[in-house]
Amino acid sequence: MTERLDARALNRATLARQFLLERTDASALDAVGHLCGLQAQEPQEPFVGLWSRVSGFDPSELSRLLERRAVVRLHLMRRTVHLVTAEDAWNWRPRHQMLLRQRILGVYARDLAGLDLDELAAQARALLSDGRPRSLGVIGRELAERNPDRAPRPLGEAVVAALVPTVQLPPRGTWRSTAGAHYLPLSQWLGRSASPEPSDEADPVGEELVRRYLGAFGPAASADLRAWCGLAGLPRAVAAVRDELVSFRDDRGRELLDLTDAPRPGPDTPAPIRFLPAFDNAILGYHDRSRIIDHDHRGLSVAGERVVLVDGRVAATWTCNAGGIRVTPLRQFTHAEHAAVAEEADHLATFMSDGGYDRR
């Protein structure tokens, strides 16, 4: 009989995979890789995400990784800007090409109607081949000169978010930078030739995505995997690796898949206070988010609210200003919970104010 995992058991598994039960001693680069990247449309949020997960995290380390091209910022899963390792960007971006193209057409169907997108992509590659970083607005305006019946904004966004694999260059995304986004093709930035097109036969990248997702988010259902990456064509990849996996059932009877040797702590494992940034994938990486957030508060995760985990679940929101960290509970805290939240907020305030960090 298939073992059942209730919401609390799934919660502890998620916290363990996400380095939220115990901070990891891994490097920032290895943490980003293990987590399958961090959602990063808000450029400063990954710093808080890593501070909550990596022991002794120094924000300058992540800035250096961006500057040294070891990690990159680009549109990827769900057409959202993610911070991922350069290797993952190179391997995963072609597998997302069709998704990105479909989603940009969904957003700008009227603006792009009748336009030859392959020709637009060729124009953009020629434009960007001079190696000069450009903003989305500049790219759009220069392409509009070649397509005078089209508005610049849809042209620029179609290129950087879908048609041509591009990266947002530092200082965008470095610690405390307010720089705007400027783009270059991924291949130029990494100094590599164009990556191969996905095969119609085997899907090694899809299979690796399944394994990596389960390593960072499992146990999980196929619907959770799809919600995380946005890709519809992964059933074949799941089937290809199924013999490597173990199966569970959740309280709703859904089948959950997992890696055989992945951590699944007991449901009574203590969970520390953790402050999460806006759009953290520990919440957004699932179709069924009930393992970590109550249904009544589900909207917080897509509204860009920063949240506090108490006993492993979303129990408050938080903001940061000159006066420090302000916490707004979503339920009544016990005295012990209040004290623990205040203590972690003080540590976070130190980090946010001067880049200091705990070496715990």
Side-chain angles (χ1 to χ4, degrees), residues 40-44 66 73 168-174 177-182:
Q41 66 264 46
E42 296 293 338
Q44 295 298 299
L66 281 161
R73 296 169 46 83
Q168 294 184 357
L169 308 184
R172 179 74 165 179
T174 57
S177 171
T178 58
H182 287 75

Side-chain angles (χ1 to χ4, degrees), residues 194-323:
S195 54
E197 293 296 319
S199 169
D200 290 333
E201 301 300 328
D203 186 12
V205 175
E207 293 168 20
E208 184 64 12
L209 280 169
V210 173
R211 297 185 188 99
R212 295 279 299 280
Y213 173 76
L214 292 176
F217 295 88
S222 294
D224 296 318
L225 170 65
R226 179 172 179 172
W228 167 69
C229 64
L231 296 172
L234 287 179
R236 184 175 60 184
V238 171
V241 303
R242 195 176 185 90
D243 288 346
E244 306 172 20
L245 309 177
V246 290
S247 177
F248 302 94
R249 295 281 174 183
D250 66 9
D251 286 338
R252 294 163 48 194
R254 298 188 312 159
E255 182 183 38
L256 308 177
L257 299 175
D258 203 7
L259 304 178
T260 57
D261 57 352
R264 289 180 288 275
D268 294 330
T269 303
I273 304 299
R274 290 291 183 256
F275 281 69
L276 296 186
F279 307 112
D280 195 278
N281 276 351
I283 301 174
L284 294 182
Y286 300 95
H287 173 70
D288 180 3
R289 299 169 186 164
S290 62
R291 69 177 67 191
I292 200 166
I293 187 169
D294 293 345
H295 181 76
D296 289 347
H297 304 312
R298 180 185 172 99
L300 298 174
S301 59
V302 294
E305 295 280 357
R306 296 159 161 176
V307 300
V308 185
L309 302 185
V310 179
D311 192 27
R313 298 190 62 80
V314 173
T317 61
W318 67 275
T319 57
C320 179
N321 54 39

Side-chain angles (χ1 to χ4, degrees), residues 163-184:
L163 301 181
V164 178
T166 58
V167 296
Q168 294 184 357
L169 308 184
R172 179 74 165 179
T174 57
W175 180 236
R176 291 187 175 153
S177 171
T178 58
H182 287 75
Y183 298 85
L184 276 180

